[in-house]
Amino acid sequence: MSSVVLITGAATGIGNLTARALAADGHTVYASMRDVAGAGAVRTRELINLGHREGQELRVVELDVQSESSIDAAVATILGEAGRLDTVVHNAGHLSVGYAEAFTPEDIEHLFDINVLGVQRVNRAVLPHMRARGSGTLLYVGSTTSVVAPPFLGPYAASKVAADSLAVTTAYEVGQFGIETCVVMPGPFTVGTEHFAQAGHAGDEERNRAYTKLDPLVARYGEATESLFPAGVDAHPRAVAAEIARILALPAGTRPHRAVVDFTDAGVEAVNEVMFEAQQRFVTRMGFGELLRVSTP
C-alpha cells in the first residue's frame, strides 16, 4: 500500500537513495533538505526531474532539523498538499571524527542538536497528526556504532546511542496511539555517502596535538573499515534504502522493531536480540507490558 513519506536529510547518501527507492515503489515521497534554492538546488532538481521522468510522486521540501519553524512549515506543506503523513524516515545526521577530549562542549552540543534534538523536533511536529489519525510509522536510521562503539567516533556514537534510546522510549508511548516504530541500523560504508567527506572534527587544536601519536591510526580509518568487508561484497548504502523499502511494504503491525544492514559481521543482531529480550522482561515486570504492543484502532 502506498503512503505519504517524509525523509529528513535526503540531499545525499542513504536519505537520497531511500527517496528514490520509495518513490519507485509508488509512495508519495517528500525528500527534505536544507536550502533547496541555494546549496541544495542541484539535488532538488535531480529528484524533481527524476520524479517527472518516471511518473513518480517524488517531491522536495525544505526542512532543517535544527529549526523548529522550518520543520513546522515543511509538515504544514505536506499536510496541505497530500492531506496526510503516514511515515517519517528520520535520516538526517552529522558525523564527527576525532579524539574525544578535543571535542569542546560546543562541538558536542552542535552534534547532538542535529542527531538527537533534530529527531525530537520532527517528532513533535508530526505526532499530533499521527495520534489524531491513530496510525503512522516512525522509522529511525540509527547506527551499529551505538552497539560496537568504534574508536575516534566518541561524540557521534554517543549521539546515536541517545537517539536510539529516545526512539525506543518514545515507541512505548506512541504505540498506544497506533504508531509503529522501527530502527534500521546501518553498518559503516566507505562509498555512497558524503558522511566522511563532510564530517566534523574536534575543535580544540591544542588537545588534538596532545594525541598526535594516534594520528596514524586515524589516517587509516577508511582502510581499516574496508578491511572488514568480505571479498567481493558490494557494501553500498543502497542496501539500506532497499531494506527501508522492504519494511515499509510490509502490512501495518508486522514491521520489525529493528533491522541491521551491516557488511562487517559486527554481531549487532545478536546484541539486539539479547537487549530486546531484556527490555521486554524488565518492562513486563514493571507491570507495563501493554506498552510493548502497538494498539490498533
Side-chain angles (χ1 to χ4, degrees):
M1 178 180 176
S2 64
S3 57
V4 179
V5 183
L6 166 63
I7 304 172
T8 66
T12 62
I14 291 171
N16 190 276
L17 293 166
T18 299
R20 294 166 183 261
L22 294 182
D25 279 356
H27 298 283
T28 297
V29 177
Y30 284 85
S32 77
M33 62 189 77
R34 295 179 299 173
D35 195 14
V36 297
V42 172
R43 305 290 187 182
T44 296
R45 286 196 299 272
E46 287 176 353
L47 290 176
I48 291 176
N49 290 341
L50 174 63
H52 288 162
R53 188 168 62 250
E54 300 296 329
Q56 300 168 352
E57 294 295 333
L58 181 51
R59 308 171 186 179
V60 176
V61 63
E62 183 162 317
L63 188 155
D64 180 354
V65 297
Q66 292 182 273
S67 167
E68 187 173 343
S69 61
S70 171
I71 296 166
D72 289 343
V75 172
T77 294
I78 295 168
L79 295 179
E81 292 181 358
R84 72 182 201 274
L85 177 57
D86 302 296
T87 300
V88 173
V89 178
H90 285 290
N91 170 76
H94 186 60
L95 176 68
S96 285
V97 181
Y99 308 119
E101 182 187 342
F103 283 93
T104 66
E106 291 75 20
D107 292 336
I108 298 177
E109 181 180 41
H110 174 71
L111 187 64
F112 270 62
D113 192 46
I114 299 171
N115 294 357
V116 184
L117 298 185
V119 167
Q120 180 69 356
R121 292 187 187 102
V122 172
N123 276 348
R124 281 173 52 81
V126 303
L127 283 173
H129 171 72
M130 291 183 172
R131 280 190 286 102
R133 293 185 64 220
S135 66
T137 301
L138 301 176
L139 191 149
Y140 301 82
V141 179
S143 173
T144 58
T145 61
S146 63
V147 173
V148 297
F152 312 123
L153 300 182
Y156 173 76
S159 74
K160 299 308 283 188
V161 171
D164 191 290
S165 293
L166 185 61
V168 171
T169 51
T170 300
Y172 297 146
E173 301 156 10
V174 300
Q176 305 313 295
F177 297 89
I179 301 166
E180 291 186 276
T181 294
C182 181
V183 180
V184 176
M185 304 174 71
F189 296 98
T190 56
V191 298
T193 77
E194 296 183 6
H195 252 14
F196 281 97
Q198 297 180 351
H201 299 279
D204 190 329
E205 293 301 330
E206 182 179 353
R207 302 296 177 98
N208 274 322
R209 287 191 293 272
Y211 286 85
T212 299
K213 70 177 184 179
L214 299 182
D215 285 353
L217 301 182
V218 177
R220 65 179 183 86
Y221 202 93
E223 177 187 345
T225 300
E226 289 179 353
S227 72
L228 299 172
F229 301 143
V233 71
D234 181 19
H236 194 281
R238 69 173 67 92
V240 183
E243 177 65 0
I244 292 173
R246 182 192 73 82
I247 290 169
L248 294 184
L250 296 172
T254 68
R255 293 168 184 142
H257 180 63
R258 285 188 185 273
V260 178
V261 183
D262 177 36
F263 295 95
T264 68
D265 191 26
V268 172
E269 296 91 339
V271 175
N272 285 345
E273 184 176 348
V274 173
M275 180 175 63
F276 183 68
E277 291 178 358
Q279 290 170 343
Q280 295 263 311
R281 287 196 304 270
F282 187 79
V283 172
T284 300
R285 287 174 56 212
M286 294 181 74
F288 297 143
E290 69 270 22
L291 298 181
L292 300 171
R293 297 177 292 276
V294 176
S295 296
T296 55

